[in-house]
Amino acid sequence: MTPDDEGTPVLPALRRWIITAAAVLPASTAALSGAYFTGQQPQAATKVGAVSHAAPAARAIDAANLYVDPTSNPARWVAANPGDSRAARIKTAIADQPIAKWFGNWDSDVTAAVSNYVGRAQQTGAIPMLVAYNVPGRDCGSHSGGGAGSPAAYRTWIGQFATAIGSRQAIVVVEPDAVAQLDCLPNDTERQTRLDLLKYGVQQLKAKAPNAWVYLDAANAKWIPAATMAQRLRAAGIADARGFSVNVSNYYTTEESVVYAKAVNAGLSSGKTFVVDTSRNGNGSNGEWCNPAGRKLGTPPREGTDAELELWVKVPGDSDGDCGIGAGIPAGQFSPDLAIRLINGTR
Protein backbone atom coordinates (compact mmCIF):
# COMPACT_ATOMS: atom_id res chain seq x y z
CA MET A 1 0.00 0.00 0.00
CA THR A 2 1.18 3.50 -0.63
CA PRO A 3 -0.07 6.86 0.59
CA ASP A 4 -0.58 9.92 -1.56
CA ASP A 5 1.64 12.51 0.04
CA GLU A 6 -0.43 15.56 -0.81
CA GLY A 7 -3.82 16.88 -0.78
CA THR A 8 -6.33 16.16 -3.63
CA PRO A 9 -10.48 20.39 -7.29
CA VAL A 10 -12.25 19.97 -10.54
CA LEU A 11 -15.36 18.11 -11.55
CA PRO A 12 -15.13 15.21 -13.99
CA ALA A 13 -18.33 13.76 -15.21
CA LEU A 14 -19.86 11.03 -13.18
CA ARG A 15 -23.53 10.80 -14.09
CA ARG A 16 -25.53 12.64 -11.44
CA TRP A 17 -27.19 10.40 -8.92
CA ILE A 18 -28.58 10.73 -5.44
CA ILE A 19 -29.18 7.65 -3.36
CA THR A 20 -31.19 7.69 -0.19
CA ALA A 21 -30.05 4.83 1.97
CA ALA A 22 -32.47 2.14 3.07
CA ALA A 23 -32.56 0.89 6.61
CA VAL A 24 -30.81 -2.38 7.32
CA LEU A 25 -30.35 -4.34 10.49
CA PRO A 26 -26.77 -4.25 11.80
CA ALA A 27 -24.67 -7.34 11.30
CA SER A 28 -23.64 -8.92 14.55
CA THR A 29 -19.98 -9.00 15.38
CA ALA A 30 -18.79 -12.57 15.11
CA ALA A 31 -16.99 -14.14 18.02
CA LEU A 32 -13.29 -14.48 17.37
CA SER A 33 -12.00 -17.88 16.39
CA GLY A 34 -8.92 -19.32 14.78
CA ALA A 35 -10.61 -18.88 11.40
CA TYR A 36 -10.01 -15.16 11.65
CA PHE A 37 -6.31 -15.43 12.08
CA THR A 38 -5.08 -18.59 10.41
CA GLY A 39 -2.81 -17.74 7.51
CA GLN A 40 -4.48 -18.52 4.20
CA GLN A 41 -2.96 -18.99 0.78
CA PRO A 42 -4.43 -16.83 -1.98
CA GLN A 43 -7.33 -18.47 -3.74
CA ALA A 44 -9.68 -17.66 -6.56
CA ALA A 45 -13.04 -16.29 -5.58
CA THR A 46 -16.04 -18.55 -6.09
CA LYS A 47 -18.82 -17.19 -8.27
CA VAL A 48 -22.07 -16.52 -6.52
CA GLY A 49 -25.34 -15.06 -7.65
CA ALA A 50 -26.26 -11.42 -7.41
CA VAL A 51 -26.55 -10.06 -3.89
CA SER A 52 -28.85 -7.19 -3.04
CA HIS A 53 -26.98 -4.25 -1.57
CA ALA A 54 -28.98 -2.60 1.13
CA ALA A 55 -27.42 0.63 2.38
CA PRO A 56 -27.11 1.82 5.97
CA ALA A 57 -30.00 3.76 7.39
CA ALA A 58 -31.08 7.27 6.48
CA ARG A 59 -28.09 8.71 4.65
CA ALA A 60 -27.97 10.30 1.22
CA ILE A 61 -25.08 11.64 -0.83
CA ASP A 62 -24.78 13.46 -4.14
CA ALA A 63 -21.98 11.79 -6.06
CA ALA A 64 -22.43 13.81 -9.24
CA ASN A 65 -18.89 15.15 -8.96
CA LEU A 66 -15.77 13.70 -7.38
CA TYR A 67 -13.05 16.07 -6.27
CA VAL A 68 -9.92 16.42 -8.38
CA ASP A 69 -7.05 17.82 -6.36
CA PRO A 70 -4.71 20.26 -8.15
CA THR A 71 -2.05 19.47 -5.54
CA SER A 72 -2.03 15.67 -5.88
CA ASN A 73 1.32 14.01 -6.58
CA PRO A 74 0.73 13.73 -10.35
CA ALA A 75 -0.74 17.24 -10.56
CA ARG A 76 2.22 18.75 -8.74
CA TRP A 77 4.65 16.90 -10.99
CA VAL A 78 2.86 18.18 -14.10
CA ALA A 79 2.90 21.75 -12.76
CA ALA A 80 6.61 21.52 -11.96
CA ASN A 81 7.58 19.99 -15.33
CA PRO A 82 5.66 21.85 -18.05
CA GLY A 83 8.38 21.27 -20.62
CA ASP A 84 8.54 17.50 -20.15
CA SER A 85 7.16 15.62 -23.15
CA ARG A 86 5.21 13.35 -20.81
CA ALA A 87 3.46 16.13 -18.89
CA ALA A 88 0.42 16.63 -21.17
CA ARG A 89 -0.42 12.92 -21.24
CA ILE A 90 0.01 12.53 -17.48
CA LYS A 91 -2.18 15.57 -16.90
CA THR A 92 -5.02 14.34 -19.08
CA ALA A 93 -4.89 10.66 -18.16
CA ILE A 94 -4.13 10.91 -14.43
CA ALA A 95 -3.82 14.36 -12.84
CA ASP A 96 -7.21 15.55 -14.13
CA GLN A 97 -8.99 12.49 -12.74
CA PRO A 98 -10.52 12.29 -9.23
CA ILE A 99 -8.18 10.30 -7.00
CA ALA A 100 -8.44 9.58 -3.28
CA LYS A 101 -6.29 11.47 -0.80
CA TRP A 102 -4.46 9.33 1.79
CA PHE A 103 -4.01 10.50 5.38
CA GLY A 104 -1.63 8.97 7.91
CA ASN A 105 1.17 9.68 10.31
CA TRP A 106 2.89 11.92 7.76
CA ASP A 107 0.19 14.50 8.54
CA SER A 108 1.45 16.43 11.54
CA ASP A 109 -2.02 17.86 12.19
CA VAL A 110 -4.63 15.48 10.83
CA THR A 111 -7.50 17.73 11.91
CA ALA A 112 -6.21 20.62 9.81
CA ALA A 113 -5.18 18.38 6.89
CA VAL A 114 -8.56 16.65 6.61
CA SER A 115 -10.61 19.78 7.27
CA ASN A 116 -8.70 21.79 4.66
CA TYR A 117 -9.00 19.04 2.05
CA VAL A 118 -12.71 18.48 2.58
CA GLY A 119 -13.25 22.24 2.72
CA ARG A 120 -11.58 22.77 -0.66
CA ALA A 121 -13.80 20.11 -2.16
CA GLN A 122 -16.89 21.64 -0.59
CA GLN A 123 -16.06 25.03 -2.09
CA THR A 124 -16.23 23.50 -5.58
CA GLY A 125 -19.38 21.51 -4.88
CA ALA A 126 -17.43 18.27 -5.27
CA ILE A 127 -17.28 15.09 -3.20
CA PRO A 128 -13.84 14.33 -1.71
CA MET A 129 -12.44 10.81 -1.41
CA LEU A 130 -10.28 10.10 1.64
CA VAL A 131 -8.31 7.11 2.88
CA ALA A 132 -7.60 6.62 6.58
CA TYR A 133 -4.24 4.81 6.71
CA ASN A 134 -2.69 4.99 10.15
CA VAL A 135 -3.44 1.77 12.02
CA PRO A 136 -0.59 0.67 14.32
CA GLY A 137 1.68 -1.83 12.60
CA ARG A 138 0.56 -0.62 9.19
CA ASP A 139 1.55 -2.77 6.19
CA CYS A 140 3.21 -5.32 8.50
CA GLY A 141 6.28 -3.08 8.58
CA SER A 142 6.80 -3.45 4.82
CA HIS A 143 7.25 -0.67 2.24
CA SER A 144 4.46 1.47 3.73
CA GLY A 145 5.13 0.51 7.33
CA GLY A 146 4.33 2.94 10.12
CA GLY A 147 1.06 4.03 11.61
CA ALA A 148 0.04 5.40 14.98
CA GLY A 149 2.42 4.64 17.80
CA SER A 150 -0.15 3.01 20.08
CA PRO A 151 -3.82 1.99 20.20
CA ALA A 152 -4.58 5.09 22.27
CA ALA A 153 -2.85 7.32 19.72
CA TYR A 154 -4.87 5.73 16.93
CA ARG A 155 -8.16 6.28 18.74
CA THR A 156 -7.27 9.95 19.13
CA TRP A 157 -6.18 10.20 15.49
CA ILE A 158 -9.23 8.54 13.94
CA GLY A 159 -11.51 10.60 16.18
CA GLN A 160 -9.83 13.77 14.92
CA PHE A 161 -10.06 12.50 11.33
CA ALA A 162 -13.81 11.93 11.68
CA THR A 163 -14.44 15.22 13.48
CA ALA A 164 -12.59 17.12 10.75
CA ILE A 165 -15.02 15.78 8.12
CA GLY A 166 -17.95 16.70 10.32
CA SER A 167 -21.32 17.10 8.63
CA ARG A 168 -19.81 17.48 5.17
CA GLN A 169 -20.15 14.81 2.49
CA ALA A 170 -17.25 12.53 1.73
CA ILE A 171 -16.28 9.03 0.64
CA VAL A 172 -13.92 7.32 3.09
CA VAL A 173 -11.96 4.07 2.70
CA VAL A 174 -10.85 2.76 6.08
CA GLU A 175 -7.39 1.23 6.53
CA PRO A 176 -6.45 -0.65 3.36
CA ASP A 177 -5.07 -4.13 4.09
CA ALA A 178 -5.55 -3.86 7.86
CA VAL A 179 -8.15 -6.63 7.99
CA ALA A 180 -6.28 -8.87 5.56
CA GLN A 181 -3.01 -8.42 7.45
CA LEU A 182 -4.31 -9.72 10.76
CA ASP A 183 -2.25 -12.81 9.95
CA CYS A 184 1.03 -10.94 10.28
CA LEU A 185 0.33 -9.91 13.86
CA PRO A 186 2.09 -12.13 16.40
CA ASN A 187 -0.77 -13.18 18.68
CA ASP A 188 -4.52 -13.14 19.20
CA THR A 189 -4.30 -10.26 21.67
CA GLU A 190 -2.80 -7.96 19.05
CA ARG A 191 -5.27 -9.19 16.43
CA GLN A 192 -8.15 -8.47 18.74
CA THR A 193 -6.71 -5.01 19.43
CA ARG A 194 -6.60 -4.26 15.71
CA LEU A 195 -10.18 -5.43 15.20
CA ASP A 196 -11.26 -3.27 18.12
CA LEU A 197 -9.45 -0.25 16.64
CA LEU A 198 -11.07 -0.73 13.25
CA LYS A 199 -14.48 -1.09 14.84
CA TYR A 200 -13.87 2.04 16.91
CA GLY A 201 -12.79 3.94 13.80
CA VAL A 202 -15.91 2.99 11.86
CA GLN A 203 -18.07 3.95 14.84
CA GLN A 204 -16.30 7.32 15.12
CA LEU A 205 -16.95 8.04 11.46
CA LYS A 206 -20.59 7.04 11.77
CA ALA A 207 -21.07 9.30 14.79
CA LYS A 208 -18.94 12.30 13.83
CA ALA A 209 -19.12 12.23 10.01
CA PRO A 210 -22.75 11.17 9.48
CA ASN A 211 -22.87 12.28 5.85
CA ALA A 212 -19.80 10.30 4.80
CA TRP A 213 -20.01 7.03 2.92
CA VAL A 214 -17.60 4.76 4.80
CA TYR A 215 -16.09 1.59 3.32
CA LEU A 216 -14.02 -0.83 5.42
CA ASP A 217 -11.29 -2.40 3.31
CA ALA A 218 -11.64 -6.07 2.31
CA ALA A 219 -8.36 -6.57 0.40
CA ASN A 220 -8.44 -8.20 -3.04
CA ALA A 221 -9.77 -11.16 -4.97
CA LYS A 222 -6.86 -13.56 -4.44
CA TRP A 223 -5.70 -12.93 -0.89
CA ILE A 224 -8.12 -13.91 1.88
CA PRO A 225 -10.92 -16.46 1.25
CA ALA A 226 -14.26 -14.68 0.98
CA ALA A 227 -15.87 -16.50 3.92
CA THR A 228 -12.92 -15.65 6.17
CA MET A 229 -12.96 -12.03 5.04
CA ALA A 230 -16.67 -11.80 5.83
CA GLN A 231 -16.04 -13.09 9.36
CA ARG A 232 -13.25 -10.59 9.85
CA LEU A 233 -15.31 -7.69 8.52
CA ARG A 234 -18.09 -8.49 10.97
CA ALA A 235 -15.59 -8.47 13.82
CA ALA A 236 -14.10 -5.19 12.54
CA GLY A 237 -17.39 -3.32 12.61
CA ILE A 238 -18.78 -3.59 9.09
CA ALA A 239 -22.28 -3.25 10.58
CA ASP A 240 -21.60 0.47 11.13
CA ALA A 241 -20.05 1.08 7.70
CA ARG A 242 -21.86 1.68 4.45
CA GLY A 243 -19.93 -1.17 2.88
CA PHE A 244 -16.45 -2.37 1.96
CA SER A 245 -13.74 -1.73 -0.61
CA VAL A 246 -11.87 -4.25 -2.73
CA ASN A 247 -8.73 -4.21 -4.89
CA VAL A 248 -7.24 -1.12 -3.23
CA SER A 249 -3.75 -0.60 -4.68
CA ASN A 250 -3.98 -3.90 -6.56
CA TYR A 251 -4.50 -4.95 -10.15
CA TYR A 252 -7.29 -7.51 -10.37
CA THR A 253 -9.91 -6.82 -12.99
CA THR A 254 -13.20 -5.25 -12.05
CA GLU A 255 -14.94 -8.49 -12.97
CA GLU A 256 -12.73 -10.56 -10.66
CA SER A 257 -13.16 -8.00 -7.92
CA VAL A 258 -16.95 -8.01 -8.24
CA VAL A 259 -17.09 -11.82 -8.04
CA TYR A 260 -15.01 -11.73 -4.88
CA ALA A 261 -17.02 -8.88 -3.35
CA LYS A 262 -20.28 -10.72 -3.97
CA ALA A 263 -18.83 -13.81 -2.31
CA VAL A 264 -17.80 -11.72 0.70
CA ASN A 265 -21.23 -10.14 0.79
CA ALA A 266 -22.85 -13.57 0.85
CA GLY A 267 -21.06 -14.19 4.15
CA LEU A 268 -22.36 -11.04 5.82
CA SER A 269 -25.53 -11.04 7.87
CA SER A 270 -26.90 -8.08 5.93
CA GLY A 271 -26.12 -7.01 2.40
CA LYS A 272 -23.54 -4.25 2.02
CA THR A 273 -22.54 -2.07 -0.85
CA PHE A 274 -18.95 -2.24 -2.13
CA VAL A 275 -16.55 -0.18 -4.20
CA VAL A 276 -13.74 -1.35 -6.48
CA ASP A 277 -10.38 0.37 -6.95
CA THR A 278 -9.94 0.49 -10.75
CA SER A 279 -6.92 2.79 -10.77
CA ARG A 280 -4.46 0.23 -12.17
CA ASN A 281 -6.51 -2.79 -13.23
CA GLY A 282 -6.80 -2.17 -16.97
CA ASN A 283 -4.65 -5.19 -17.84
CA GLY A 284 -5.57 -7.23 -14.78
CA SER A 285 -3.01 -8.80 -12.44
CA ASN A 286 0.04 -10.88 -13.27
CA GLY A 287 0.14 -12.18 -9.70
CA GLU A 288 2.57 -9.53 -8.47
CA TRP A 289 1.61 -6.57 -6.28
CA CYS A 290 4.69 -4.34 -5.99
CA ASN A 291 5.15 -2.20 -9.10
CA PRO A 292 4.63 -5.06 -11.57
CA ALA A 293 5.38 -4.45 -15.24
CA GLY A 294 2.73 -4.41 -17.92
CA ARG A 295 -0.15 -3.00 -15.87
CA LYS A 296 -2.51 -0.32 -17.16
CA LEU A 297 -4.88 2.39 -15.97
CA GLY A 298 -8.39 1.12 -15.38
CA THR A 299 -11.76 2.72 -15.98
CA PRO A 300 -11.83 6.27 -14.59
CA PRO A 301 -14.04 6.78 -11.53
CA ARG A 302 -17.74 6.29 -12.20
CA GLU A 303 -20.84 4.58 -10.93
CA GLY A 304 -20.49 0.84 -11.03
CA THR A 305 -22.83 -1.76 -12.45
CA ASP A 306 -22.42 -4.33 -9.69
CA ALA A 307 -20.13 -2.22 -7.51
CA GLU A 308 -21.65 0.91 -6.05
CA LEU A 309 -18.70 2.91 -7.34
CA GLU A 310 -15.53 2.26 -9.29
CA LEU A 311 -12.92 4.59 -7.80
CA TRP A 312 -9.28 5.47 -8.11
CA VAL A 313 -8.19 4.86 -4.54
CA LYS A 314 -4.52 4.29 -5.29
CA VAL A 315 -2.73 7.22 -6.97
CA PRO A 316 -1.55 5.99 -10.40
CA GLY A 317 2.14 6.67 -10.77
CA ASP A 318 2.84 6.57 -7.05
CA SER A 319 5.30 3.79 -6.28
CA ASP A 320 4.32 0.74 -4.24
CA GLY A 321 7.84 0.71 -2.82
CA ASP A 322 11.46 -0.01 -3.73
CA CYS A 323 10.55 -3.01 -5.88
CA GLY A 324 9.63 -4.23 -9.35
CA ILE A 325 9.85 -1.60 -12.07
CA GLY A 326 9.84 0.99 -9.28
CA ALA A 327 13.19 -0.10 -7.85
CA GLY A 328 14.75 2.79 -5.97
CA ILE A 329 11.47 4.71 -5.68
CA PRO A 330 10.07 4.84 -2.13
CA ALA A 331 6.45 4.00 -1.43
CA GLY A 332 4.17 6.96 -2.10
CA GLN A 333 6.61 8.85 -4.34
CA PHE A 334 5.30 9.80 -7.78
CA SER A 335 7.26 8.58 -10.80
CA PRO A 336 6.49 9.88 -14.31
CA ASP A 337 8.01 6.71 -15.70
CA LEU A 338 5.60 4.53 -13.72
CA ALA A 339 2.75 6.81 -14.77
CA ILE A 340 3.55 6.58 -18.49
CA ARG A 341 3.85 2.81 -18.27
CA LEU A 342 0.35 2.70 -16.77
CA ILE A 343 -0.99 5.00 -19.47
CA ASN A 344 0.55 2.87 -22.23
CA GLY A 345 0.05 -0.49 -20.54
CA THR A 346 3.65 -1.36 -21.32
CA ARG A 347 6.43 -3.12 -19.51
Side-chain angles (χ1 to χ4, degrees), residues 6 17 44 78 93 119 121 125 129 136 141 161 171 181 192 197 229 235 347:
E6 298 83 36
W17 54 284
V78 167
M129 298 183 289
F161 180 103
I171 294 168
Q181 290 179 333
Q192 179 65 68
L197 290 177
M229 178 54 68
R347 301 182 63 83

Side-chain angles (χ1 to χ4, degrees), residues 19-145:
I19 293 178
T20 300
V24 67
L25 293 176
S28 60
T29 300
L32 292 179
S33 70
Y36 288 113
F37 307 136
T38 301
Q40 300 281 355
Q41 294 300 312
Q43 68 171 27
T46 302
K47 281 202 173 188
V48 299
V51 177
S52 63
H53 302 295
R59 281 189 280 177
I61 196 167
D62 176 2
N65 301 294
L66 296 183
Y67 182 55
V68 180
D69 184 6
T71 65
S72 68
N73 282 352
R76 293 201 308 183
W77 183 87
V78 167
N81 296 274
D84 193 293
S85 61
R86 300 166 293 182
R89 295 188 68 204
I90 291 174
K91 180 180 189 302
T92 299
I94 298 177
D96 286 350
Q97 300 296 331
I99 308 169
K101 164 74 174 168
W102 295 58
F103 295 86
N105 56 314
W106 52 88
D107 295 300
S108 58
D109 184 343
V110 71
T111 300
V114 170
S115 184
N116 290 340
Y117 172 71
V118 176
R120 292 197 304 271
Q122 185 180 41
Q123 289 174 358
T124 70
I127 304 297
M129 298 183 289
L130 300 82
V131 179
Y133 194 51
N134 198 37
V135 73
R138 187 181 63 213
D139 200 28
C140 295
S142 187
H143 295 289
S144 293

